[in-house]
Amino acid sequence: MATPVAELHMHIEGSLEPEQIYRLAERNRMDLPYKDIDDLKSRYEFTDLQSFLDLYFANMAVLRTAEDFADLTRAYFRRAAAAGVAHAEFFFNPQAHVVRGVPLTEVLDGIMDAVASSEREFGLSSAAIAAILRDQPVKDAEEIFSEIIRLQAPIVGLGLDSAEVGNPPSLFEDVFARARAEGLHVVAHAGEEGPPEYIWQALDILGAERIDHGVRALEDPALIERLVDEEIPLTVCPLSNVRLRVFDSLSDHPLRSMLEMGLIVTVNSDDPAYFGGYVDDNFTELGRALGLTEAERDTLARNSIKASFASDARKAELLRR
Ligand code: ADE
Ligand code: ZN
C-alpha cells in the first residue's frame, strides 16, 4: 500500500493467536479446556457477536502478568508494522481482566511498556483506548474508570464494546462525560448489530468522535446525512462483519457505497486472531471482492490517518509519505 495506514479499531485481546494461547497457558501453568490446538482452532466459527465474545473472553484467561500483556501487545505491533500500519490505536478491556483477579496495574504496565517503545521497536506510533464492557453493570464501568484515572494511566481515550443489543450507549452517559472532562477522546461501538438509534445516542449522549462499525447507519438517511455533514469517521471491519454474519460475504459488504455517500470510512481488523486476518488482509480481501481501485484504497488509508488521534504533526508526516 502506498499511503501508510492507521489502524483505529483493534481489540488487543482479539489479537491473541491460538499458538500464543498455548504458549501463555504453559508459562502460567494453566490447563486449557481444549483437547489440543486444532480443537481450539475448530471453535473459530461464529453465528453472531455473542458466540464470538464467549470464546474471546474464555481465551483471555491465559493473560495474567504484565509480561503477558506486553508480549501480546508487541506481537500485534510486529504484525501490524508488517501490514503497513504506521499508527495504531487499540482497545483493551480492563474489566475483563480485573474480574478474573488480575490487578489493573499488571494490565496497564504491560500494555504501556509496549506502547512506550513502539516507535523505536517497530516504527509505528501507538495509543491505547480503555473500552467499557457495555453488558456489565454501569457501576463497574464507573469504578474501573475511577481506578484508571487514579493510576494516571496514559490512555488516549474511552471506548464502549461487547454485546451491543439491549445495552444502549445512553446507560453510560455519566462515565463518558467524566472521560471528556478528563480531556480523553471518546469513541463507541454502535450500529454493528444494534440499531441506528444507538449511533445517534453515541453521538448525542456520549459525544463520540468516531463510531466503531456504524454499518447499520445505512438504514437511516438522516443519520447518514449527520455523519457526512459532521465528518464523523466510521471504523469499519470487513472480515469481522462477515465472520459475525453482519453481511453474508465480502461481496455484499457496503463499504464502497459508504465511500460514495461521502462517509469517512476506515478499514480495520477488529479481532484479527479470530476473524481471519490483519488490516492488510482486510484491504486485500475486500479489495478483491469489491474491485476497489487504487484511488479508493488511498482514500481509505488517508481517512484512517486523518481520523486518528495522533498529533497534527504526526498526521502531516504520515500524509506526506
Ligand atoms: N469486543 C471485541 N470485538 C468486538 C466487536 N466486534 N464488537 C463488540 N465488542 C467487541
Ligand atoms: Zn470492535
Side-chain angles (χ1 to χ4, degrees), residues 227-243:
L227 295 166
V228 170
D229 286 352
E230 295 186 10
E231 300 184 18
I232 308 283
L234 305 180
T235 63
V236 175
C237 308
L239 285 173
S240 163
N241 289 157
V242 173
R243 294 298 288 271

Side-chain angles (χ1 to χ4, degrees), residues 9-11 91 161 189 192 212-213 237 270-271:
H9 182 166
M10 204 289 301
H11 304 259
F91 298 110
D161 67 1
H189 282 54
E192 178 185 20
D212 297 310
H213 294 293
C237 308
D270 206 5
D271 299 281

Side-chain angles (χ1 to χ4, degrees), residues 26-280:
E26 199 180 322
R27 182 156 94 187
N28 291 324
R29 298 192 170 78
M30 297 170 64
D31 287 328
L32 288 169
Y34 313 115
K35 280 206 298 288
D36 53 27
I37 194 163
D38 290 330
D39 177 31
L40 167 59
K41 287 181 182 174
S42 75
R43 299 173 192 236
Y44 286 46
E45 285 289 337
F46 311 112
T47 50
D48 56 12
L49 175 58
Q50 188 61 57
S51 65
F52 152 70
L53 289 171
D54 292 343
L55 188 66
Y56 167 83
F57 287 119
N59 286 340
M60 279 180 210
V62 299
L63 295 165
R64 301 225 55 97
T65 66
E67 188 186 10
D68 298 341
F69 285 95
D71 288 355
L72 173 70
T73 309
R74 285 199 167 85
Y76 163 67
F77 288 159
R78 187 172 297 111
R79 180 62 184 80
V85 173
H87 177 80
E89 288 167 15
F90 63 91
F91 298 110
F92 67 109
N93 279 140
Q95 288 158 274
H97 309 301
V98 170
V99 75
R100 302 183 287 108
V102 177
L104 181 59
T105 47
E106 292 291 306
V107 180
L108 293 171
D109 287 353
I111 289 174
M112 294 309 168
D113 180 64
V115 166
S117 59
S118 71
E119 290 214 53
R120 182 169 46 76
E121 286 182 62
F122 305 103
L124 57 80
S125 44
S126 62
I129 300 175
I132 295 297
L133 297 177
R134 70 197 309 158
D135 51 354
Q136 299 302 312
V138 171
K139 182 174 75 51
D140 294 6
E142 298 282 357
E143 281 174 14
I144 201 81
F145 184 69
S146 299
E147 267 307 283
I148 288 172
I149 295 302
R150 191 181 67 78
L151 293 167
Q152 301 187 320
I155 57 171
V156 74
L158 191 70
L160 184 69
D161 67 1
S162 205
E164 185 181 8
V165 175
N167 300 305
S170 58
L171 293 170
F172 299 93
E173 177 171 5
D174 291 351
V175 69
F176 276 80
R178 285 171 64 200
R180 284 186 277 113
E182 291 286 344
L184 291 170
H185 289 289
V186 163
V187 299
H189 282 54
E192 178 185 20
E193 286 188 344
E197 169 60 19
Y198 287 13
I199 303 177
W200 287 104
Q201 287 187 13
L203 298 171
D204 292 334
I205 300 178
L206 304 188
E209 297 162 67
R210 296 194 298 242
I211 298 294
D212 297 310
H213 294 293
V215 289
R216 288 197 59 192
L218 297 180
E219 297 166 28
D220 182 342
L223 178 56
I224 296 173
E225 201 177 314
R226 165 94 182 266
L227 295 166
V228 170
D229 286 352
E230 295 186 10
E231 300 184 18
I232 308 283
L234 305 180
T235 63
V236 175
C237 308
L239 285 173
S240 163
N241 289 157
V242 173
R243 294 298 288 271
L244 300 186
R245 314 260 179 106
V246 174
F247 302 108
D248 289 338
S249 71
L250 283 178
S251 350
D252 296 312
H253 201 286
L255 182 133
R256 167 171 280 135
S257 335
M258 295 171 80
L259 277 177
E260 287 168 355
M261 287 171 191
L263 290 163
I264 313 291
V265 181
T266 67
V267 168
N268 306 269
S269 66
D270 206 5
D271 299 281
Y274 290 88
F275 300 149
Y278 286 76
V279 74
D280 49 344

